[in-house]
């Protein structure tokens, strides 16, 4: 529970989470593992072109933490690109901007990140049951090693 303040807020998770260079046998392939929050840092800074300060606010971290996450992300992407490594996006220490909860009776509702860190829900707002659980996005979760989830490539790509 004491790790909550370290969570980085992520508002979107990339749809495709595995990239690999063509023409290399899978057995020779090395992987760079990009954390979900690192992908988010790249998205905010390099894609959305936000100022570093805004990025840090979006992710609910200090500027120096954001800067560290961004540097790490760029380093890994450069390494993969120039050294012919695959990139896998998974794991990390992040929290979705919104978390969906479900109670034992099947009611579902969303809890914003801000509320989640201060006052996490204890009962279902509809039926008051304390039997509630958070729903994780498929294949992704905070801090885990992620599940081995691989997306199929387009018609030109060849898997294994
Ligand atoms: Zn309920």
């Amino acid at each position: 529970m004491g790790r909550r303040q370290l969570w980085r807020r992520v508002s979107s998770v990339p749809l495709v989470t595995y990239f690999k260079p063509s023409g290399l046998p899978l057995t020779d392939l090395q992987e760079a593992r990009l954390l979900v929050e690192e992908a988010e840092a790249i998205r905010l800074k390099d894609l959305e072109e936000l100022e570093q300060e805004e990025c840090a606010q979006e992710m609910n971290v200090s500027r120096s933490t954001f800067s560290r996450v961004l540097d790490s992300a760029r380093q890994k992407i450069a390494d993969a690109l120039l050294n012919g490594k695959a990139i896998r996006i998974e794991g990390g220490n992040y929290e979705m901007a919104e978390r969906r909860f479900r109670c034992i009776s099947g009611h579902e509702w969303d809890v914003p990140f801000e509320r989640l860190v201060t006052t996490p829900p204890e009962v279902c707002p509809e039926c008051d049951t304390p039997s509630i659980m958070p729903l994780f996005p498929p294949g992704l979760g905070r801090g885990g090693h992620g599940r081995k989830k691989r997306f199929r490539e387009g018609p030109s790509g060849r898997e294994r």
Side-chain angles (χ1 to χ4, degrees):
M1 291 296 168
R3 291 175 61 109
R4 278 204 174 130
Q5 66 275 17
L6 295 176
W7 291 2
R8 291 83 195 257
R9 180 170 56 188
V10 164
S11 64
S12 85
V13 168
L15 290 175
V16 176
T17 57
Y18 195 76
F19 300 86
K20 80 177 178 70
S22 67
L24 284 176
L26 213 58
T27 45
D28 294 347
L29 209 54
Q30 285 184 294
E31 270 183 14
R33 182 163 165 263
L34 199 64
L35 303 176
V36 170
E37 67 253 32
E38 290 171 339
E40 175 76 348
I42 290 284
R43 185 182 75 81
L44 293 170
K45 187 72 184 78
D46 295 339
L47 207 57
E48 303 283 327
E49 298 182 309
L50 299 181
E51 296 299 327
Q52 198 126 320
E53 186 66 46
E54 297 174 280
C55 296
Q57 279 171 15
E58 282 290 317
M59 291 184 71
N60 205 30
V61 296
S62 68
R63 267 192 73 154
S64 60
T65 296
F66 179 80
S67 166
R68 203 152 31 78
V69 172
L70 183 67
D71 285 350
S72 168
R74 287 176 171 167
Q75 169 78 36
K76 289 176 181 180
I77 290 171
D79 176 41
L81 210 57
L82 299 172
N83 294 323
K85 295 182 182 177
I87 300 176
R88 182 187 294 283
I89 305 175
E90 69 176 12
N93 192 26
Y94 69 96
E95 180 58 87
M96 295 304 293
E98 265 191 350
R99 169 60 59 81
R100 179 157 277 257
F101 279 79
R102 182 192 285 160
C103 83
I104 199 164
S105 311
H107 302 123
E108 289 188 11
W109 70 101
D110 292 317
V111 181
F113 179 81
E114 286 79 5
R115 199 136 56 80
L116 208 59
V117 289
T118 53
T119 50
E122 288 173 356
V123 296
C124 170
E126 281 204 55
C127 65
D128 269 351
T129 175
S131 303
I132 62 173
M133 60 177 290
L135 302 178
F136 289 88
L140 294 161
R142 176 181 59 84
H145 291 94
R147 265 155 250 161
K148 294 281 179 257
K149 181 179 185 184
R150 182 164 292 172
F151 286 80
R152 203 160 291 144
E153 295 180 359
S156 60
R158 185 161 295 170
E159 198 71 63
R160 69 187 56 237

